[in-house]
Structures are given as C-alpha cells and as structure tokens.
C-alpha cells in the first residue's frame, strides 16, 4: 500500500447540516447497563445523587450526548410504564423476559430516566410498547410526560414529584416489530403504527415526533412494504410518521479482543457497509416520500461480539478495543458524508452492553476507546458537512464477509474498505476533518487537500494504540486515550498529517 493517502475536501460544496442527533445513544434494561451502570439507589455506598451514579454522570456530561433512547430494545415491548412510577418500594417486581429472565425491580422508571437525562444534558427518547401494550397505554404515557394541564395524568406526575412536563419529543412506536416486538409483517405493522399513533397527542406545545419501526439491516422489503402500505393502503397516512428507524449491527470477526489482521479488515469492511444501509433505505423511502418528510434513523448500530468469558450470555457484556473505535469512526464519517439522508443514529449501548462508551464495575468506571471517538467527533455536530473525496486505496473487499457486505448495498456495488476514510464539516468558518486509518499495520501520511480554500494551520488530535487489540481495563484505564493536541502547518492548500496504523485523527482549523 502507498504510504501517502489523500482526502480532497471541497468546503464550497455543502452536503447538509450534520444533525446533532447522529451522535445519539441507547440504554436498555439489559444485563448490567441500568443496574448498576446507571442506577445504584440512594442508599448505595457507591457515590450517587438520588440513586444515579456520580462517576457515570461525570464521564458522560462532557460528551453532550444529543439524545438517549430508552427503555429498549426488545425490553420495550414488554415494558409497562406504570410499573416504573410512584414510590419505589411499592413498584412491582417483574421479569425481564428478553434478557435472561432477570428480576426487574422497576426502580429506574420514567422519573429516574428523566433525572439521568437532565444530569448528563441529553434529550430523552422513549420507545413505546406496541407488542404487548395498547394504544391507550402509550397515549397515556405521552400525556403523563408532556401535559401541562390539569388532567388526572398530569396531576399524577405532579404528585410523583414533577411539577413541570418532561417535554419528551421523540417516541418510537414499538421496537423490532418484525422480531422481538411481535413478529409482524410490514402491512400489519403499518396498520398498528397508525392506530397507536392516532392516540399520541401533542401536549403543551410539545409536538410528538413519532418513529416507526424500520428494517433490520438490508431487509429492503420491510422498508418498501411499510412505506407502500402507509401511503397507498386505503388512506395516505404518511403524515403520521416523522421518522423510520432501521437497525444495523456489523457484528464481529473473531472475538472482542482476539482477532487476526484478516478479521480486523473483515469487521471494518462490515462497519463501512453501513453506508449501503443509509443509501439503500433512503433510496426506497424516496420513492414514496421524495420530499423526505419522513427522516431516516439508524436506531441501533455497532459491534456485537461474543459475550466476555465469565459473564452471562444474556447480559451482552463485551470489551471494546481500538478496533471498535475504528468501527465508530467509520460509521460517523459515513453519517456525516450522507448528512442529507440521515437524521439520527443511536449506538448500542451506553454502558456495559455491546459497544459501550463506559464499563463500570462496583465503584469503578472506565472510558472505552469508543468513548474517545464520541469526544473527537463532537465538532461535527450541527456543522455543515462538505464534500470529502477519499482518493485512497481499497485495501479489503470484506474477505470472509464479502457477500455480507455486498448484500448491504441495494445495488450490490460500492462496498469495500479504503485505507483511509473520512469526512469534513464547516462551522463558523472552521473546518473539521476526521479520518480513520483502517490498515492494521501500515502507518500513513494523510494528505488533506483543499479545493477553493486554504487551511494554514490545524490542531491535530489522534486516537491510536500500540497494538490492534489494545483496550482499557480497570487496571489500565488510560491505555487507549486521545493524544495531546499538536499544531500542524499547512502548505499550498495541503495539510500533511501522520496517522499510525489503526488510528483515528481529527484536524481542525480556520479556513482562509
Ligand atoms: O441491543 C440489543 C438488542 O438488539 C435490542 O434489544 C434489540 O432491539 C436488538 O435486536
């Protein structure tokens, strides 16, 4: 492979505003995420504020997460929100059917979730129960959260300690309704979606943003048939859906911490194929909704490795290496480059589950390499994505996962992993370029070439590791962390940035 790779940036060719919601997160009642990842209870010896861990809040606050989806996942379609309000001692003990039949004490419910969102400065997003709930139950939850009036439900919220409405805008109508949410077909779901949606009213100027269940990965037929049914089955009901949310897990290759170089490339190729998911579903949606009034969301995404030895299978606990960080970076760069097609994306999941930002154990909390990618990519949020052309070498066609990658593209083309992939955005005349060197062993010199503008100087920050398996542990929590910023001078509209093998970089500076 050539050791010089080039990204050409065209600051005068805007794509669209990068929706801040692309950097969202997901927290399900699953394994060790909520208990004890967020909630330890007010009587715990673990430092907490009204039951919520202080270390987790302190770690998450600086990321300014735009949105947090809760309470599931599969859990959501078995969750009855009334179980989680009122005095905690009186809340019912339930069974978490989807995740190991674990006891669910309901100590973390609506009020606690809102308190957590406020503590970390994020916007709540609720997933409603369609699979085992009713339109009335979901409509009541909306009213309980959002009504400023004097209805019984608003008064009940006040009696439970919240005088002011919670102002919850984002509401999903079921989760994976094609699977754990009820094994429905798209036409049946379209009918149920409209029925449930009918009873989700706007209260106190809080407009409900209803999110319909989208497809698993490349099941194009779900998107096509749902959109068709919503538009053409007797009534056109398209106005009822504000978004459609697909799921895409790139999965694994090897295990979380043990993999060969070939498996490294295989997993990153599968991660890069999220581009096909974004373009493919949007292309189908455009056939029914050319004005893009229904936005596309990737509601769950990330790696899914075999569960760590010694942990229960149902808890989906996994370590997180520099490879997972590269998966996150590649995905964000895809989202930025397609900022005109995608509105929100929520990685799975926040703490201790799948590709998490944090791992917690007893009174300790560490940041994963993926956490640092969230930090690094912050300047893109709300900026204008501009064209970024990767004139870089193809280094993998997916290997063992070639067919998998091909399937993720509607037109079965375009897939493949480049030596360097990246994206660029502009805010207040400052350019932000992010890129991932996907090669497991080869360092590169990245040439960032500007067209129609110059970048005389840039501040460069890297996320790199001394080994492709590097990760943070409770004994070595800072092994993979961001470098100190370095100032790099540009010349002749070109900036040269060194990228170690398997690394991520951000270059930021004022455009001239
Ligand atoms: O994120 C774990 C699970 O994956 C979610 O509960 C479900 O929606 C998906 O299948």
């Amino acid at each position: 492979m050539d050791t010089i790779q080039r990204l050409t940036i065209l600051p005068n060719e805007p794509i669209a505003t990068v929706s801040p919601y692309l950097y969202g997160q997901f927290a399900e009642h699953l394994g060790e995420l909520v208990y004890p990842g967020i909630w330890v209870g007010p009587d715990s010896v673990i430092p907490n504020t009204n039951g919520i861990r202080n270390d987790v809040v302190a770690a998450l606050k600086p990321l300014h997460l735009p949105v947090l989806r809760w309470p599931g996942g599969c859990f959501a379609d078995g969750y009855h929100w009334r179980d989680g309000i009122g005095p905690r001692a009186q809340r019912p003990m339930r069974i978490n059917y989807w995740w190991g039949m674990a006891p669910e004490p309901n100590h973390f419910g609506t009020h606690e979730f809102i308190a957590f969102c406020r503590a970390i400065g994020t916007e709540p997003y609720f997933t409603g129960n369609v699979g085992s709930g009713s339109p009335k139950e979901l409509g009541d939850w909306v009213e309980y959260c959002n009504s400023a009036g004097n209805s019984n439900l608003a008064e009940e919220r006040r009696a439970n300690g919240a005088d002011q409405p919670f102002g919850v805008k984002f509401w999903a109508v079921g989760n994976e309704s094609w699977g754990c949410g009820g094994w429905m077909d798209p036409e049946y779901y379209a009918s149920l979606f409209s029925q449930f949606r009918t009873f989700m009213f706007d209260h106190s100027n809080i407009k409900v943003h209803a999110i319909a269940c989208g497809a698993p990965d490349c099941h194009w037929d779900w998107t096509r048939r749902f959109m068709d049914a919503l538009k053409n089955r007797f009534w056109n009901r398209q106005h009822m859906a504000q978004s459609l949310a697909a799921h895409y897990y790139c999965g694994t290759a090897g295990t979380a911490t043990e993999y060969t170089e070939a498996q490294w490339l295989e997993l990153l190729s599968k991660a890069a194929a999220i581009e096909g998911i974004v373009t493919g579903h949007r292309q189908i949606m455009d056939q029914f909704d050319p004005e893009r009034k229904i936005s596309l969301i990737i509601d769950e995404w990330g790696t899914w490795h075999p569960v760590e030895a010694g942990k229960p299978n149902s808890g989906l606990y996994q370590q997180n290496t520099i490879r997972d960080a590269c998966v996150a970076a590649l995905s964000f760069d895809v989202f930025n480059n397609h900022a005109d097609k995608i509105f929100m994306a929520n990685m799975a999941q926040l703490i201790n589950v799948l590709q998490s930002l944090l791992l917690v154990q007893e009174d300790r909390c560490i940041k994963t390499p993926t956490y640092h990618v969230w930090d690094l990519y912050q300047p893109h949020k709300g900026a204008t994505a501009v064209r970024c052309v990767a004139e870089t070498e193809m280094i993998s066609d997916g290997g063992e996962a070639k067919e998998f990658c091909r399937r993720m593209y509607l037109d079965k083309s375009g897939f493949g992993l480049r030596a360097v992939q990246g994206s660029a955005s502009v805010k207040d005349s400052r350019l932000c370029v992010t890129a991932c060197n996907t090669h497991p062993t080869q360092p590169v010199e990245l040439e960032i070439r500007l067209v129609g503008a110059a970048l005389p100087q840039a501040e460069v920050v890297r996320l790199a590791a001394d080994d492709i398996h590097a990760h943070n542990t409770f004994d070595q929590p800072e092994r993979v962390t961001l470098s100190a910023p370095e100032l790099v001078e540009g010349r002749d509209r070109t900036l040269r940035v060194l990228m170690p093998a398997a690394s991520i970089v951000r270059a930021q500076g004022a455009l001239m």
Side-chain angles (χ1 to χ4, degrees), residues 37 41 75 93 126 144 150 177 182 187 226 233 254 259 289 291-293 301 323 383 409 430 461 468 476 504 506:
F75 179 82
M93 178 65 87
F126 285 5
Y144 181 88
N150 58 359
S177 305
E187 291 78 15
F226 170 77
R233 254 196 168 193
Y259 36 84
D289 172 34
E291 290 175 53
R292 298 191 172 169
K293 288 190 173 160
W301 66 271
R323 183 174 66 155
Y409 286 81
R430 271 180 78 76
V461 180
I468 60 168
Q476 218 183 338
I504 300 153
R506 179 187 73 198

Side-chain angles (χ1 to χ4, degrees), residues 264 268 322-323 326 436-443 463-465 467-468 499-504:
W264 164 283
L268 294 196
I322 185 75
R323 183 174 66 155
C326 290
C436 177
N437 175 5
T438 62
H439 202 287
T441 56
Q442 177 79 69
L463 185 68
D467 183 281
I468 60 168
M499 294 189 75
S503 71
I504 300 153

Side-chain angles (χ1 to χ4, degrees), residues 267-302:
L267 184 62
L268 294 196
S269 302
K270 289 200 277 182
I274 200 168
E275 180 173 37
I277 299 299
V278 173
T279 55
H281 287 297
R282 189 64 257 180
Q283 194 179 322
I284 295 169
M285 290 166 74
D286 284 351
Q287 288 162 18
F288 300 92
D289 172 34
E291 290 175 53
R292 298 191 172 169
K293 288 190 173 160
I294 303 177
S295 61
L296 176 65
I297 289 178
I298 308 286
D299 233 356
E300 292 182 23
W301 66 271

Side-chain angles (χ1 to χ4, degrees), residues 453-488:
L455 188 66
Q457 194 182 55
E459 183 203 79
V460 171
V461 180
R462 295 180 184 80
L463 185 68
D466 51 3
D467 183 281
I468 60 168
H469 309 97
H471 53 279
N472 297 333
T473 63
F474 291 98
D475 294 331
Q476 218 183 338
E478 303 275 324
R479 182 167 174 203
V480 186
T481 194
L482 295 179
S483 69
E486 176 200 346
L487 279 183
V488 176

